[in-house]
Amino acid sequence: MVGRQRHLAIILNALFPEYCLRCRKEGSVLCSWCEMNYVPHPIWRDAVFSVGAYHDPVLQGLLRTWKYHGVTSARQALFRLTERTIEDYAAVLPAIDAVSFVPLHKRKRNLRGFDQAEMIAVGVARVLEVPMISFVRRTRFTESQAQTDREDRDTTEFFNAFALRDSLQSVPGSVLLVDDVYTTGTTFRSAAAALEAAGTTITGLTIARG
């Protein structure tokens, strides 16, 4: 099976070659030289740490290529950049007891085939050497904040859009809540509120900030 997948990847790359998002060199979504020399500009604001700005073409390109096209190499490059940034800025982040994430609605997760925030949270927890625990669930479907014009965003639909999972016995004192993109913050704050109501202190971490 692994051999078949590798063979399929070779065929797809021949038919639809990848080009580096930074230098446009053919061969990969982010070439090794650009990955080594690319330095994002982290943002630390309102207790949320972001690897960089959403308008950064490299971060935005990697996120969109992974989320909407399922390109594994984009996910891998994004994870390496995130891991490197976390290690470089570890002193900025407060001590935490666990990592969690802002979950997709099950309808969207089924359509996409994965939850990007959950996958990012797993990698972040590994770097920080703390457990990753799914604390919250979505109670209703909401529109993507990254895909909606700022003027049209109705924050009322996010009230009580998240709740603690019924199986939880308790929550730790400090949680790092992970999402892929922080735009208006409405989605993030709604998920954080469910945890804060249980007495948890929340710090945020996202790949990009819009």
Side-chain angles (χ1 to χ4, degrees):
M1 179 62 72
V2 174
R4 182 183 300 175
Q5 291 175 340
R6 184 179 296 112
H7 184 62
L8 178 60
I10 292 172
I11 294 175
L12 289 174
N13 193 56
L15 294 174
F16 308 102
E18 293 180 347
Y19 293 89
C20 177
L21 289 163
R22 193 162 180 257
C23 71
R24 303 308 299 167
K25 177 182 177 181
E26 183 179 340
S28 62
V29 70
L30 190 64
C31 73
S32 57
W33 190 93
C34 283
E35 182 174 331
M36 181 175 61
N37 290 279
Y38 165 69
V39 180
H41 299 286
I43 301 168
W44 175 246
R45 188 188 308 154
D46 304 324
V48 177
F49 179 84
S50 301
V51 174
Y54 188 66
H55 60 72
D56 182 316
V58 174
L59 281 183
Q60 184 180 116
L62 289 174
L63 273 170
R64 295 179 66 85
T65 302
W66 170 38
K67 287 173 59 175
Y68 304 125
H69 303 288
V71 177
T72 301
S73 58
R75 171 179 58 82
Q76 293 170 337
L78 193 65
F79 281 21
R80 288 192 295 269
L81 286 173
T82 301
E83 179 176 346
R84 189 178 73 195
T85 304
I86 290 173
E87 290 174 344
D88 289 344
Y89 289 85
V92 174
L93 297 172
I96 57 168
D97 300 311
V99 172
S100 194
F101 62 97
V102 179
L104 289 175
H105 188 275
K106 61 181 179 181
R107 187 196 314 174
K108 187 174 292 186
R109 178 176 180 141
N110 289 339
L111 286 173
R112 185 168 294 167
F114 61 92
D115 187 325
Q116 68 277 359
E118 180 179 11
M119 296 179 72
I120 296 167
V122 170
V124 170
R126 183 179 64 250
V127 174
L128 297 178
E129 299 182 336
V130 296
M132 199 293 287
I133 304 171
S134 176
F135 287 117
V136 296
R137 58 183 176 84
R138 280 197 187 243
T139 58
R140 71 171 72 125
F141 183 83
T142 56
E143 292 295 331
S144 171
Q145 293 286 279
Q147 300 298 315
T148 308
D149 290 339
R150 289 181 184 272
E151 294 81 2
D152 296 333
R153 290 171 182 167
D154 182 5
T155 58
T156 60
E157 71 168 319
F158 288 87
F159 292 160
N160 299 318
F162 296 89
L164 290 180
R165 292 191 175 278
D166 298 332
S167 59
L168 289 176
Q169 301 297 318
S170 62
V171 293
S174 180
V175 172
L176 183 68
L177 190 61
V178 173
D179 204 358
D180 60 331
V181 179
Y182 187 106
T183 49
T184 64
T186 304
T187 307
F188 180 88
R189 288 193 298 269
S190 181
L195 278 163
E196 289 170 336
T200 302
T201 299
I202 297 296
T203 303
L205 186 146
T206 67
I207 299 296
R209 182 153 188 156

